[in-house]
Amino acid sequence: MEYYLSIVVFTFAGAFTPGPNPVLLISSGANYGIRRSLPVYFGICLGFPLLVAAIGGGLGALFSRFPFAHSLLKIVGAAYLLYLAWRTATGARPDADIELPKPLTFREAMVFQWVNPKAWVVAMGAIATFTREGEVFESILIILSAFMISGFVGMGFWLTLGARLETWLYGARYRVFNGVMGVLLALTVIPIVLADLSFTF
């Protein structure tokens, strides 16, 4: 019982703590509402478990053997995060009389999980911590199930929170809000950079 409780606590903590996915969902919910943001929501909720399954199937071990590939993925992830930060910061109310960026598509949100640094840390941490010797397949299924449940609940919370802000945001508030969300998303790149820096004195 303690094993299952630990997995639940770990997965829900990952879903309810700030990170790139919550920022994207809050911003999308506030700018486009729940209905138009559903592709982003489902892309995140389904894309992340696929990443967990891939790591459990051996992708994590492959990166451990070839660190350069993991470093390259971090660079791509950081660049894509900065692009999404710009896209978020330049977003605005969808009924404005200017051409605006559209919300992320299902495919974009799903692919983003593969270059999302926090997603990799959480997924690899879960596989390393909760995979039981002799019960690898069963353990991964349990972990996946927990992530599916916590993902739909946690990401639903962030999306709903963003949508609640929609009625409060208007005019200049939209620009300020999107700017703040863009900066927050850009700041998630910092841990990636710091993790690869070595200092000499």
Side-chain angles (χ1 to χ4, degrees):
M1 185 65 183
E2 183 178 348
Y3 170 75
Y4 298 104
L5 181 60
S6 298
I7 294 178
V8 170
V9 171
F10 182 90
T11 56
F12 270 83
F16 279 93
T17 51
N21 285 332
V23 172
L24 286 176
L25 284 170
I26 291 174
S27 177
S28 187
N31 282 281
Y32 305 105
I34 290 180
R35 186 180 62 83
R36 293 191 65 195
S37 298
L38 286 179
V40 187
Y41 172 72
F42 284 110
I44 291 172
C45 292
L46 297 177
F48 180 70
L50 284 178
L51 174 63
V52 175
I55 292 175
L59 188 58
L62 181 65
F63 280 147
S64 296
R65 185 174 179 182
F66 302 101
F68 174 77
H70 195 202
S71 296
L72 181 61
L73 182 68
K74 285 184 177 181
I75 295 172
V76 173
Y80 191 58
L81 269 172
L82 291 175
Y83 162 72
L84 289 178
W86 170 82
R87 186 167 170 177
T88 299
T90 57
R93 196 179 179 97
D95 57 3
D97 295 328
I98 56 175
E99 185 178 351
L100 301 170
K102 297 178 181 179
L104 289 182
T105 65
F106 173 82
R107 180 181 298 180
E108 286 175 325
M110 179 173 281
V111 170
F112 172 61
Q113 303 314 300
W114 293 79
V115 293
N116 179 352
K118 182 188 175 184
W120 276 91
V121 171
V122 173
M124 294 184 76
I127 294 298
T129 304
F130 299 112
T131 300
R132 295 188 290 195
E133 187 176 353
E135 300 179 0
V136 175
F137 182 73
E138 293 83 354
S139 298
I140 293 176
L141 281 181
I142 294 171
I143 295 169
L144 280 175
S145 300
F147 272 125
M148 287 284 287
I149 296 171
S150 64
F152 277 105
V153 175
M155 296 305 107
F157 166 79
W158 295 114
L159 177 58
T160 303
L161 177 62
R164 289 293 182 94
L165 294 173
E166 187 179 18
T167 56
W168 179 78
L169 295 173
Y170 55 87
R173 290 180 178 179
Y174 261 99
R175 291 189 293 273
V176 173
F177 173 79
N178 287 331
V180 170
M181 290 294 103
V183 169
L184 289 176
L185 194 55
L187 287 177
T188 62
V189 174
I190 293 178
I192 309 173
V193 176
L194 293 181
D196 288 336
L197 285 179
S198 59
F199 298 93
T200 57
F201 297 94

